[in-house]
Amino acid sequence: QERRSRSTAPDLDALEELLIDAGIDVDTTMGILQEVGKSRLLGRPTAEQIITRIRAKLSSVLDLDSTLHVDGSPAVLLVTGVNGAGKTSSVAKLANMLKHQNYKVLLVAADTFRAGAVDQLAILANRVGVPVMRSVEGQDPSSVVFNGLQKAVADRMDVVIIDTAGRLENKKNLISELQKVTRVIEDKFGLPLSETLLVIDATTGENALMQARTFSEAIHISGIILTKVDSGAKGGSIVGIARELKIPVKLVCNGETLLSIKPFDKDDIVNMILL
Amino acid sequence: SVKKAFGGVFDGLRRKGLLSQGDIDAALAEVRVSLLAADVDYRVVKSFIARTREACLDERVLGSMTPGDQVTKVVYEQLVQELGGPGSKGIAITHIPYRVMLVGLQGSGKTTTLGKLALLLKKEGHYPLLIPGDLGRPAAYQQLQKLAADAGVEFFGEHVDTLEDLLRGADRFAREKSLDVQLLDTQGRHEFDAELMDQLRMVVTMYRPDDTLIVLDSMMGSKAIPLSQSFDKVAPLTGAIFTKFDSPAQGGAVLSFKDSIGKPVRYIGVGEHLQDIEYFVPERHAARIVG
Ligand SMILES: Nc1nc2c(ncn2[C@@H]2O[C@H](COP(=O)(O)OP(=O)(O)OP(=O)(O)O)[C@@H](O)[C@H]2O)c(=O)[nH]1
Ligand SMILES: Nc1nc2c(ncn2[C@@H]2O[C@H](COP(=O)(O)OP(=O)(O)OP(=O)(O)O)[C@@H](O)[C@H]2O)c(=O)[nH]1
Ligand SMILES: [Mg+2]
Ligand SMILES: [Mg+2]
């Protein structure tokens, strides 16, 4: 009798800890466990059954279109996010990926603030084998972007990827700067943004959801690049972001080499969270 | 935020006049919830609440004319103790040469913070040397070189092949130029980067740092503590610097750090500019929390 209950009773506290430990925010975790628990009306579920239901729930929440859009002549991809998240590295990895798909890629070094930012992207561009539009310290990022687009059109590039400076979501002047950059691309220059990618560090806690909320309120965010999943962090913050904002993860980065990037795989991520 | 939740609890208590043990328990239950919600480590919260409860059931609180104020004062005092006791614990240059090393996860803010520390030490009358010990990241050298120039401090710019040559060369350079404090930048790494963790072990043996500070991103959440414990095994820590404290993230790990690692939080980074560093002052942080 006792042996039977041990193997069948689902430990909800342990499940809560598992989900929270995977980085899923508290509200989303509670919501998932409640919804999964509700279906208890169909009988007393075992621990295995609850896990199966959680897996199905996560899978359905994350079921968003994760196709990377490279449309436009040239296609313009803007990369943004908070300081240190992995924007510059991801821009280089994405450039490498697209170059190997035979796109002609131009990188734009629009981080005109941080020490060594332009040098960092220039070195990476050289490693990938793509041209980079450099900028000078203190230059208005919007003017760098405008010049970059002009160069892309003149040199008949297929894709332009724009690296921007890190910015915390509560810095209103920096968020305005980002809005201005999108206006320069879409209104002033007249090219639609093919992707505006928000880089989210998998090691970030509850604040990741606030980042996504604030950035997506300021500009349209078409997708997420999730970084540093090799560090042991599971990136569960993307679940709350998908659930509340319907923003899909398009790319996942798992290391510091140019090849440590792959398209989002829903099953991979759900397995990573539940492991 | 932690501040808002705490504020509500103490305002309610102050309005009550005489307090029963039940009132205090209820208030501490709310304090417990806000600490947990702010990512403070579960075990740290448990022992903190236990000690605070004991201190609150003291005669000076229960017998006081303004017990609500007394409870607030007790929580404040307990928080200050939790954070390592009163007074900031900055770098103290007790002998020359004094060696400092910053370690931490990729992108946490090490290089920027090293520049900030250099400027701060210079303002306090020291002669720091910035050492570009990150041989992995593209343009890490140029990044630190620029920060050194902006801070107006010396930079060890000699191009070397190995970390060993770098450390020996920097030491020689510091002695030649009579620079009293060496500040070493290191590559970002995590606990599963086996090679990098071995390298860090070796750097500690070669450099023999007087201070090893882990640079932690305030938005990291509770994972900051197990991460720090992993680093501590490889490079014994003497403290932490929490960066991006200007972000709206709760930074609850600040409260758990001293308890879990046994060393205090020493500085906080509060912005992207070189002057955006502050001594971590427990009284100030505790006051910020209790409102
Ligand atoms: N382990 C690991 N490290 C990563 C990953 N992505 C980026 N990094 C590292 O994280 C650090 C910061 O990356 P950057 O690309 O400079 O980040 P950023 O967002 O451009 O930073 P700022 O421009 O300063 O805001 C670097 O050391 C990268 O090598 C990843 O997927 N895994
Ligand atoms: N807002 C804010 N940004 C910060 C703070 N400290 C560092 N940063 C920013 O965080 C980003 C990463 O800083 P770095 O100094 O390059 O980080 P790092 O730890 O050296 O990175 P790696 O060497 O790649 O591991 C940069 O954009 C910095 O300007 C801070 O206290 N506040
Ligand atoms: Mg960058
Ligand atoms: Mg660095």
Side-chain angles (χ1 to χ4, degrees):
Chain A
Q1 167 66 347
E2 199 232 7
R3 225 176 70 223
R4 180 170 174 277
S5 69
R6 229 194 302 139
S7 68
T8 54
D11 183 350
L12 284 176
D13 277 349
L15 289 172
E16 180 185 298
E17 200 173 328
L18 174 75
L19 297 179
I20 296 210
D21 207 67
I24 303 182
D25 67 274
V26 174
D27 286 346
T28 304
T29 298
M30 294 315 193
I32 289 176
L33 288 178
Q34 255 185 12
E35 288 163 34
V36 160
K38 269 203 203 103
S39 48
R40 196 173 299 175
L41 301 170
L42 306 166
R44 320 207 87 245
T46 63
E48 293 77 25
Q49 284 174 329
I50 291 275
I51 293 271
T52 305
R53 287 176 192 178
I54 292 178
R55 176 182 295 277
K57 184 75 200 158
L58 288 175
S59 196
S60 97
V61 168
L62 294 175
D63 190 19
L64 302 167
D65 184 8
S66 61
T67 318
L68 187 73
H69 298 116
V70 189
D71 318 313
S73 211
V76 184
L77 282 64
L78 180 66
V79 176
T80 187
V82 301
N83 307 69
K87 298 176 292 302
T88 306
S89 328
S90 301
V91 165
K93 292 171 185 176
L94 181 55
N96 192 45
M97 213 173 91
L98 294 178
K99 177 170 184 262
H100 283 101
Q101 293 173 25
N102 294 318
Y103 288 99
K104 285 178 65 200
V105 181
L106 169 72
L107 298 186
V108 177
D111 179 352
T112 57
F113 171 74
R114 208 208 70 212
V118 175
D119 289 331
Q120 183 189 6
L121 189 66
I123 291 172
L124 290 170
N126 192 11
R127 278 189 203 169
V128 175
V130 295
V132 57
M133 163 115 279
R134 300 184 63 117
S135 51
V136 297
E137 188 196 348
Q139 186 179 350
D140 182 350
S142 295
S143 91
V144 181
V145 168
F146 194 87
N147 296 343
L149 295 178
Q150 283 183 321
K151 178 173 170 64
V153 169
D155 297 352
R156 305 232 172 84
M157 307 306 285
D158 302 315
V159 184
V160 181
I161 311 177
I162 304 167
D163 184 25
T164 60
R167 66 204 68 227
L168 296 185
E169 72 278 16
N170 57 332
K171 305 287 162 113
K172 297 212 169 71
N173 59 324
L174 298 181
I175 295 295
S176 302
E177 180 186 84
L178 183 63
Q179 288 174 318
K180 182 173 171 216
V181 164
T182 64
R183 282 197 304 274
V184 161
I185 297 167
E186 299 202 301
D187 305 336
K188 185 156 179 258
F189 197 87
L191 271 175
L193 268 163
S194 186
E195 289 281 357
T196 305
L197 301 166
L198 178 65
V199 179
I200 298 275
D201 185 331
T203 67
T204 299
E206 296 257 344
N207 185 246
L209 180 54
M210 191 188 303
Q211 288 172 20
R213 274 187 199 130
T214 310
F215 273 83
S216 61
E217 274 165 23
I219 64 173
H220 172 63
I221 298 291
S222 62
I224 284 172
I225 301 180
L226 181 66
T227 60
K228 307 183 198 170
V229 299
D230 53 310
S231 67
K234 299 183 181 177
S237 58
I238 58 154
V239 178
I241 294 172
R243 193 165 182 250
E244 179 179 318
L245 303 169
K246 308 282 183 277
I247 301 175
V249 175
K250 304 233 170 169
L251 299 160
V252 179
C253 298
N254 61 347
E256 300 194 77
T257 69
L258 281 176
L259 297 178
S260 1
I261 183 170
K262 47 197 167 123
F264 177 70
D265 182 317
K266 193 177 61 159
D267 297 327
D268 270 359
I269 296 297
V270 173
N271 284 335
M272 185 167 77
I273 289 175
L274 291 180
L275 214 65
Chain B
S1 73
V2 175
K3 186 167 188 300
K4 281 210 194 78
F6 270 56
V9 172
F10 297 129
D11 289 342
L13 277 186
R14 284 191 201 109
R15 268 183 257 119
K16 266 184 187 282
L18 286 178
L19 294 180
S20 68
Q21 189 161 324
D23 290 327
I24 292 180
D25 283 341
L28 289 182
E30 282 185 63
V31 167
R32 177 178 174 277
V33 166
S34 37
L35 288 176
L36 289 173
D39 285 331
V40 181
D41 181 85
Y42 185 82
R43 294 164 311 108
V44 171
V45 174
K46 192 160 185 255
S47 67
F48 175 82
I49 294 294
R51 285 199 312 278
T52 306
R53 185 170 182 277
E54 199 170 327
C56 282
L57 299 181
D58 179 280
E59 180 50 34
R60 105 183 126 122
V61 176
L62 295 174
S64 157
M65 296 300 280
T66 55
D69 284 342
Q70 287 300 320
V71 170
T72 310
K73 190 158 176 292
V74 167
V75 173
Y76 167 82
E77 286 166 353
Q78 288 296 324
L79 282 171
V80 171
Q81 282 316 311
E82 188 66 34
L83 293 167
S88 64
K89 288 139 192 91
I91 291 167
I93 316 282
T94 52
H95 56 267
I96 296 171
Y98 195 86
R99 296 190 186 87
V100 179
M101 172 168 93
L102 295 191
V103 300
L105 208 59
Q106 288 91 345
S108 59
K110 298 174 291 300
T111 308
T112 308
T113 303
L114 206 69
K116 291 176 180 179
L117 275 177
L119 181 62
L120 185 60
L121 289 167
K122 174 182 149 188
K123 284 183 186 163
E124 292 174 349
H126 295 286
Y127 298 90
L129 174 65
L130 284 172
I131 308 170
D134 180 348
L135 301 184
R137 170 169 155 153
Y141 176 102
Q142 292 91 314
Q143 183 182 7
L144 194 63
Q145 182 179 42
K146 172 99 197 349
L147 293 173
D150 289 347
V153 301
E154 290 281 356
F155 172 73
F156 182 65
E158 200 179 298
H159 287 283
V160 293
D161 293 320
T162 68
L163 269 175
E164 198 152 8
D165 295 336
L166 180 81
L167 297 179
R168 225 176 293 131
D171 195 60
R172 194 183 325 122
F173 185 86
R175 288 170 202 279
E176 282 169 12
K177 295 233 167 191
S178 305
L179 305 172
D180 58 348
V181 50
Q182 297 176 26
L183 301 171
L184 178 67
D185 190 19
T186 66
Q187 182 171 354
R189 68 202 76 213
H190 55 68
E191 49 202 311
F192 301 109
D193 284 320
E195 268 190 47
L196 287 177
M197 282 309 198
D198 287 340
Q199 182 205 63
L200 188 56
R201 223 182 300 260
M202 185 196 65
V203 171
V204 171
T205 313
M206 288 194 296
Y207 185 61
R208 290 158 297 123
D210 298 297
D211 260 317
T212 302
L213 305 176
I214 184 161
V215 176
L216 295 166
D217 192 328
S218 296
M219 61 183 85
M220 197 182 177
S222 57
K223 292 262 184 244
I225 300 305
L227 178 83
S228 299
Q229 288 166 332
S230 301
F231 267 89
D232 195 28
K233 294 198 186 89
V234 168
L237 304 177
T238 60
I241 303 182
F242 276 83
T243 61
K244 307 174 206 173
F245 217 68
D246 45 321
S247 110
Q250 300 274 22
V254 172
L255 274 167
S256 320
F257 189 85
K258 172 94 201 329
D259 205 294
S260 318
I261 304 293
K263 294 288 188 292
V265 174
R266 310 199 33 202
Y267 299 92
I268 49 173
V270 293
E272 299 183 74
H273 295 95
L274 280 177
Q275 60 266 35
D276 297 332
I277 184 169
E278 292 174 7
Y279 282 97
F280 181 73
V281 182
E283 300 93 302
R284 203 181 300 158
H285 194 67
R288 211 180 283 155
I289 292 176
V290 298

